[in-house]
Amino acid sequence: MTQDRTWPAVSVVMPVLNEERHLTDAVRRIVTQDYPGELELVLAIGPSRDRTEEIAAKLATEDPRIVVVANPTGRTPQGLNIAIKASQYSIIVRVDGHSLLPADYVRAAVETMEETGADNVGGIMAAEGVTPFEQAVARAMTSKLGVGNARFHTGGEAGEVETVYLGTFKRSALERVGGYDETFVRAQDWEMNHRIRQSGGKIFFTPRMRVTYRPRPNLRALAKQYFHTGRWRRVVGREHQGTLNFRYLAPPLAVLAMAAGSVAGAFGIWPGWLLPGGYAVAMVAGAAVEGRGLPVSAWVRLPLVFATMHISWGVGFLTSPPGLGQPTPAKP
């Protein structure tokens, strides 16, 4: 039956910036998909500081299905919109330059979309690290203590959800909501999926779609990632009232509680130290449970990774400027 049916043509779009380390592997995982239908890959290349542009050009000469377009801003939502505009097919698969697809990813996406009628389907963001630090981050990013209970992080049963990782879209759904909102430098996936749901569309999660994700390689990069994610998640909350729940509010509340406890302790109210101290103990205890099976070199980094993710996200959320995400007024 698989051989007799007609498979829809698929466009894979990938915004790319400074991805010298992972781009070749990411692209090869796409062009070697076990998918019977036609497939193209559109790379929207930003002004990278490494050899990304050179690598992308070389890959395009080796495979006519690969199209390279320029993304002058280097920003993700602009790159996605540029790549989508340059693509030609009715199903759009979004991929990142540091994501590695399994061979059956596109097939699973198309089958799930046809079975469910969803406008967007996605799966698990399966973080996998190479170095001890990356292994610790990967474990934190796939645990409820690290990132909450979102199914695209921790897995779970197939079903309708608020958002998914990356996503495979019907072009008609993207056109219906006007594409990605380019004011959202971060959190553009969540914001896009919210608008699709508001327009009557369905977002569907399936564990069949599992994407290998390479975590940030060091503490500074991890802190920066989660700080900006927290900032932009608050922008989504401002733009779309009623979308914030306890999972998103837990990190900023924890930061406020620890700050208040530290101030109280500094002024001689010793019970105040129980708040930051209790948090530290909870992270160590949580790492002891969540880190089972990790190499010791990764396990000892896990409490610090948990704390970095929580605190950076919380501080970013709390310090998110009211004007962030608002269009810049035109100069007279």
Side-chain angles (χ1 to χ4, degrees), residues 91-93 105 109 113 119-121 166-170 209:
I91 295 179
I92 308 293
V93 179
Y105 183 85
M113 183 172 284
D119 285 303
N120 182 19
V121 299
L166 300 178
T168 294
F169 300 85
K170 293 178 180 176
M209 298 170 65

Side-chain angles (χ1 to χ4, degrees), residues 2 37 166 203 292 297:
T2 299
L166 300 178
I203 313 298
R292 286 177 294 189
S297 57

Side-chain angles (χ1 to χ4, degrees), residues 273-301:
W273 293 115
L274 294 175
L275 291 171
Y279 175 82
V281 170
M283 292 305 100
V284 172
V289 175
E290 298 288 353
R292 286 177 294 189
L294 281 176
V296 173
S297 57
W299 180 87
V300 297
R301 291 169 168 82

Side-chain angles (χ1 to χ4, degrees), residues 19 39 47 60 73 77 112 152 154 166 198 204 206 223 227 240 251 262 264 274 290 293 296:
E19 288 292 355
L39 182 145
T73 69
T112 302
F152 71 86
T154 60
L166 300 178
Q198 290 294 100
F204 198 88
T206 174
F227 174 79
H240 303 290
S262 298
L274 294 175
E290 298 288 353
V296 173

Side-chain angles (χ1 to χ4, degrees), residues 98 125 137 141 186 213-216 219-231 309 312-313:
H98 47 270
M125 181 183 183
V137 176
M141 291 184 72
R186 303 287 180 97
Y213 170 86
R214 296 302 188 203
R216 295 300 191 271
L219 199 64
R220 181 178 179 181
L222 180 68
K224 182 179 179 180
Q225 176 189 14
Y226 274 80
F227 174 79
H228 287 292
T229 300
R231 278 196 156 193
M309 291 166 61
S312 298
W313 206 101

Side-chain angles (χ1 to χ4, degrees), residues 11-296:
S11 297
V12 183
V13 297
M14 180 192 294
V16 184
L17 181 70
N18 299 320
E19 288 292 355
E20 175 184 2
R21 183 181 175 192
H22 301 300
L23 182 58
T24 298
D25 287 342
V27 167
R28 285 178 178 164
R29 293 289 190 99
I30 295 167
V31 297
T32 58
Q33 283 288 300
D34 176 21
Y35 184 67
E38 290 187 54
L39 182 145
E40 68 171 353
L41 169 61
V42 183
L43 303 176
I45 307 297
S48 300
R49 298 185 301 273
D50 58 13
R51 295 178 54 249
T52 294
E53 293 181 52
E54 176 187 339
I55 293 170
K58 182 175 184 296
L59 291 167
T61 62
E62 296 171 351
D63 192 322
R65 297 175 296 170
I66 301 175
V67 178
V68 176
V69 294
N71 173 21
T73 69
R75 293 180 176 176
T76 298
Q78 283 86 343
L80 287 166
N81 284 338
I82 289 169
I84 291 166
K85 185 176 180 180
S87 67
Q88 56 182 320
Y89 298 134
S90 61
I91 295 179
I92 308 293
V93 179
R94 183 206 163 160
V95 182
D96 284 339
H98 47 270
S99 300
L100 303 176
L101 303 186
D104 65 343
Y105 183 85
V106 173
R107 179 193 290 263
V110 170
E111 289 177 343
T112 302
M113 183 172 284
E114 291 180 346
E115 291 166 3
T116 64
D119 285 303
N120 182 19
V121 299
I124 296 174
M125 181 183 183
E128 293 183 11
V130 177
T131 67
F133 179 82
E134 290 172 351
Q135 290 172 345
V137 176
R139 182 60 59 88
M141 291 184 72
T142 54
S143 72
K144 291 183 179 180
L145 179 60
V147 292
N149 61 356
R151 274 183 269 184
F152 71 86
H153 278 302
T154 60
E157 297 294 326
E160 288 191 51
V161 290
E162 291 183 343
T163 191
V164 290
Y165 177 53
L166 300 178
T168 294
F169 300 85
K170 293 178 180 176
R171 181 184 289 273
S172 59
L174 297 177
E175 293 175 346
R176 185 173 73 240
V177 299
Y180 284 90
D181 187 332
E182 295 185 358
T183 62
F184 282 82
V185 178
R186 303 287 180 97
Q188 65 275 152
D189 289 327
W190 203 102
E191 197 278 336
M192 161 74 84
N193 286 319
H194 178 76
R195 284 186 288 121
I196 289 175
R197 289 188 292 109
Q198 290 294 100
S199 71
K202 180 193 299 185
I203 313 298
F204 198 88
F205 166 83
T206 174
R208 287 185 62 194
M209 298 170 65
R210 185 180 181 90
V211 184
T212 299
Y213 170 86
R214 296 302 188 203
R216 295 300 191 271
N218 55 59
L219 199 64
R220 181 178 179 181
L222 180 68
K224 182 179 179 180
Q225 176 189 14
Y226 274 80
F227 174 79
H228 287 292
T229 300
R231 278 196 156 193
W232 283 95
R233 187 59 188 83
R234 188 168 183 182
V235 175
V236 176
R238 293 191 193 109
E239 184 75 16
H240 303 290
Q241 296 294 320
T243 62
L244 292 176
N245 56 37
F246 181 75
R247 177 162 65 91
Y248 301 114
L249 296 176
L253 290 175
V255 169
L256 289 174
M258 287 189 286
S262 298
V263 169
F267 279 92
I269 306 174
W270 68 265
W273 293 115
L274 294 175
L275 291 171
Y279 175 82
V281 170
M283 292 305 100
V284 172
V289 175
E290 298 288 353
R292 286 177 294 189
L294 281 176
V296 173

